[in-house]
Amino acid sequence: MKKRAGLSLRKRLLGVTLVPILLFGIIIIICSCNQLAKSVHQEVESGLKNVAQSAVYMFEEEFQGEYFKDSGSTGIFGEEAKPEAAMEILEKLKEISGADITIFYKDARIATTIYNKNGKPIIGTKANAVIIRDVYKGETERFYAETSINDQDYFAYYCPLYDSQKKCTGMIFAGKPSHYVSRIVLEGVLPIVTIIVLVILAMSVIMWQYSVRLTNAMKNLQDFLMKVERGNFTAELGEIVEQRKDELGRIGKSAVQMQCALRELVEQDSLTKLYNRHYGEIWLRKVIEESAGKNSAFSVAIADIDFFKKFNDNYGHDCGDLVLRKVSNILRKSMKRQGCAARWGGEEFLLVFSDKGLEESLEETQRIADKIRRLRISYEDKELGVTVTIGIIEGNPQRNMDELIKAADRALYEGKESGRDRVQVGSLKTDTASD
């Protein structure tokens, strides 16, 4: 279910990021195609115009006199010229420019490089009525982006042709097939489209990787918050969130700070900064379970400040609180990485040694008692000493928490009866026998 939710979130992220990129790419492709097609058409128009005007110039230079006389097949290109000579010029121009060229007498083709399916020039065919109106009768040069000639579309440029009397007696056509121009446009557009597609693919890969990292980080943060919500204040936020430098990383750091604050409220005693009794019980139960599973040793001790009431009675509760804080500081530092120290109630403390047998725990407990014995507390120009009595027993995973606490408390009582300021070893057997 979580995996499906993660995939759904990734899809939404990809949709939010890639759809605009895709639309932008399509817009660029369309605009590029239109702009390139426009530029190519302008270039083709300019080129065909030059070819047509060159053809007019060459024709007028080659065939001077009164040409275009309607006298059959002779005398129409000048006084002595023949149609074959005009065809040679047209073929030569086509070879140089790559454009088809046609000479019109009035509205009819009398020489052309355009051939029909049988391989013969389409001489005698007529021009389009619009072209006749615009160029021949209107005596203006015109470019046409779509003209059908011999069942084929052309980009065409037409120029009026004049005789020596400056009378328009025909036209000259220069053109290129539309598929030729389309191929030029396609060849120009293809690299652009390829680049845009590659960019979109690259962005898709990048955004997919980013969305994977982002969703993993969000899932890690969500799991962390759910653990904290369930009361797991030892849960760790993954590096995938902690190492982020963005808003999500800052939210993760705030979540960890919130966890620490909640942990202090729920687990910590506000005065001594040790674990409170509730968390001490949780810790002890956890150690019992782990010992049963791993068959490992542990020890339990109850410590009590000797004659603590005298600090309150003689110097006030502020002094008593100071004594509690100083003793707790020694307990906290001494039990670090060894187990748990918790304020059990009033001036009593619970010490749980993880993975330590009685002998090793006893040595550590005696060192703790010695550190407290050497402690000097300054209060209102007075230097006060303090001692503790500690009852300790070897843990047994077969016994419950209450039995263990009761046995350690009995050992503490025996230490108090024996003169205080000492570590008293107790036994579960003694506790059981006395019940």
Side-chain angles (χ1 to χ4, degrees), residues 126-143:
K126 293 184 179 294
N128 183 282
V130 175
I131 297 172
I132 294 171
R133 182 197 65 198
D134 295 341
V135 182
Y136 175 61
K137 293 182 179 180
E139 298 185 19
T140 56
E141 298 182 4
R142 285 292 181 92
F143 172 75

Side-chain angles (χ1 to χ4, degrees), residues 57-221:
Y57 175 78
M58 292 179 67
F59 191 85
E60 290 178 344
E61 286 294 315
E62 187 69 23
F63 306 109
Q64 298 180 2
E66 295 296 329
Y67 50 87
F68 289 142
K69 296 175 181 178
D70 191 12
S71 57
S73 61
T74 60
I76 59 174
F77 292 99
E79 294 176 350
E80 299 180 354
K82 302 293 182 183
E84 292 78 8
M87 285 298 298
E88 289 180 7
I89 294 175
L90 299 188
E91 293 290 351
K92 195 169 188 178
L93 276 173
K94 180 176 180 178
E95 183 180 347
I96 294 171
S97 65
D100 283 307
I101 304 167
T102 298
I103 298 175
F104 289 86
Y105 173 58
K106 295 184 179 179
D107 60 352
R109 294 176 178 86
I110 57 173
T112 182
T113 59
I114 301 175
Y115 295 85
N116 59 24
K117 294 179 181 179
N118 297 323
K120 294 182 179 181
I122 56 171
I123 294 173
T125 56
K126 293 184 179 294
N128 183 282
V130 175
I131 297 172
I132 294 171
R133 182 197 65 198
D134 295 341
V135 182
Y136 175 61
K137 293 182 179 180
E139 298 185 19
T140 56
E141 298 182 4
R142 285 292 181 92
F143 172 75
Y144 298 92
E146 189 174 346
T147 301
S148 181
I149 303 172
N150 196 32
D151 297 327
Q152 187 174 5
D153 291 334
Y154 276 82
F155 283 81
Y157 198 91
Y158 288 83
C159 291
L161 191 60
Y162 299 92
D163 62 14
S164 59
Q165 301 301 316
K166 303 300 181 184
K167 180 182 177 182
C168 182
T169 54
M171 301 177 294
I172 282 187
F173 152 89
K176 288 188 177 182
S178 296
H179 66 79
Y180 168 80
V181 179
S182 299
R183 188 176 73 250
I184 295 175
V185 174
L186 180 62
E187 290 174 352
V189 167
L190 192 58
I192 298 174
V193 173
T194 302
I195 291 172
I196 292 174
V197 170
L198 291 175
V199 169
I200 291 175
L201 288 175
M203 290 296 295
S204 299
V205 172
I206 293 171
M207 292 309 301
W208 175 258
Q209 292 175 344
Y210 175 79
S211 66
V212 168
R213 290 195 296 269
L214 182 61
T215 52
N216 287 342
M218 292 176 69
K219 182 178 179 299
N220 183 274
L221 179 59

Side-chain angles (χ1 to χ4, degrees), residues 91 98 110 136 148 190 258 282 296 327 330 358 387-388 392 401:
E91 293 290 351
I110 57 173
Y136 175 61
S148 181
L190 192 58
M258 177 194 70
I282 293 175
S296 57
V327 171
I330 293 175
L358 180 61
T387 61
V388 294
I392 185 171
M401 182 189 70

